Amino acid sequence: VPELPEVETIVRSLAPRLEGRRIRDVQFYSRQVLRHCVDQPPDFLIGRRIKKVDRRGKFIVISLDRGYLVIHLGMTGQVLFDTSRTPYTRAIIALDDSTLMYEDTRMFGTIEWGETLTRRVDRLGPEPFDIEREEFYDQLHRRRAPIKAVLLDQTVVRGVGNIYADEALFRAGIHPRTRAARLRRPRAFRLLSELINVLGEAIKHRGSSVSDYRDTEGRQGEFQGFHRVYGREGEPCIVCGKPIRRIVVGGRGTHYCTQCQR
DNA sequence: GTTGTTACCTGTACGC
DNA sequence: TGCGTACAGGTAACAA
């Protein structure tokens, strides 16, 4: 499940191999993956030079000498170099000195391009690393929804998914069903700093591989070994020993400690 | 405007 | 062994 740390890992390895190169050819094999791209035909991309590769939340933003190419990995998207085509290859982008393969079994991912960034990318909130803690508190204060759901809302902060929402809430000692607006400043501030901590640690460990996630070299991340609650249902809490419980919040599987999170 | 639900998609795990 | 079903979740569309 690629979230902020996983996409960051991918972008860091993509950048040096893409920047300055020219797109020689593109092939697309899935309408589903192109469902958000209605603006321009694939020809738009041919011959464009890649200026910069960035991450915005979970989006990979590739700035071209004219326009943008934007990739979202969804649930099972992978970007690999120079591999052979598989049944799950949804796109092939040929560059001067390498070929980029987009693999995506479940096709929740998207590829889009155009003259300007689309509204999907444009309306994202700030990076967790950039938001002022007072602004974070304000955002929470105006929401009645469970804090877990608010963390997943990409317009509040961008890049947080199910794993890191659960991990940050555990570290902050906050019950995932707590109404966001009921968190006072100290707890909201604590949550933001724990969120930043866990995302930073996960980036250092090249992300979490819980099922399909691989970096551009096909390697797994290592942070899954450091999860304190996610995927640990029934196992003892590392702090108090009580079994980790799994509930559903905002339609998502949510892991927490009944003792440590109130 | 916010909040909650459903659909999209397919490999995997599980029960009978 | 084999089959059917539930489940995983990021995002968008929808209803309330």
Side-chain angles (χ1 to χ4, degrees), chain A residues 49-250:
Chain A
R49 186 176 292 280
I50 295 170
K51 292 197 322 199
K52 196 105 181 62
V53 183
D54 286 309
R55 180 186 59 73
R56 288 208 199 182
K58 303 172 195 170
F59 288 83
I60 300 168
V61 176
I62 301 172
S63 304
L64 308 173
D65 50 9
R66 190 179 134 212
Y68 299 89
L69 171 61
V70 177
I71 300 173
H72 193 294
L73 301 171
M75 290 288 298
T76 53
Q78 297 179 6
V79 181
L80 300 168
F81 283 103
D82 304 314
T83 54
S84 44
R85 204 181 149 189
T86 73
Y88 306 114
T89 303
R90 311 303 182 185
I92 298 178
I93 300 174
L95 308 172
D96 303 298
D97 54 350
S98 65
T99 302
L100 203 148
M101 312 292 286
Y102 180 73
E103 307 281 322
D104 193 348
T105 49
R106 289 165 63 184
M107 297 184 288
F108 276 33
T110 58
I111 300 178
E112 54 191 310
W113 57 83
E115 299 281 357
T116 57
L117 289 175
T118 52
R119 200 166 53 85
R120 253 150 69 79
V121 179
D122 229 28
R123 69 172 187 205
L124 294 171
E127 291 284 324
F129 308 107
D130 296 337
I131 191 170
E132 293 291 332
R133 62 182 199 168
E134 197 60 38
E135 199 208 323
F136 183 70
Y137 168 77
D138 280 347
Q139 286 286 335
L140 302 196
H141 198 71
R142 70 182 88 202
R143 302 288 223 102
R144 298 182 51 259
I147 182 60
K148 163 80 184 255
V150 174
L151 285 177
L152 294 178
D153 184 338
Q154 303 296 299
T155 67
V156 176
V157 286
R158 65 196 195 211
V160 181
N162 208 35
I163 296 173
Y164 299 104
D166 282 4
E167 292 297 318
L169 287 168
F170 174 77
R171 289 174 179 226
I174 296 170
H175 193 291
R177 279 211 250 257
T178 309
R179 301 276 158 190
R182 302 196 57 157
L183 290 170
R184 311 268 216 181
R185 276 190 181 75
R187 302 188 84 202
F189 293 171
R190 170 85 189 278
L191 177 57
L192 179 59
S193 66
E194 296 293 0
L195 182 60
I196 289 169
N197 287 344
V198 72
L199 292 171
E201 288 173 31
I203 290 170
K204 278 189 195 146
H205 288 90
R206 308 179 52 81
S208 304
S209 294
V210 291
S211 53
D212 302 81
Y213 169 70
R214 299 292 184 276
D215 68 15
T216 58
E217 312 297 322
R219 284 176 303 189
Q220 300 198 16
E222 291 166 357
F223 195 67
Q224 63 279 7
F226 298 90
H227 292 171
R228 299 181 188 174
V229 284
Y230 184 85
R232 296 193 63 240
E233 182 186 11
E235 293 174 39
C237 170
I238 61 157
V239 174
C240 74
K242 291 201 78 170
I244 299 302
R245 182 183 287 185
R246 184 182 177 283
I247 57 176
V248 175
V249 182

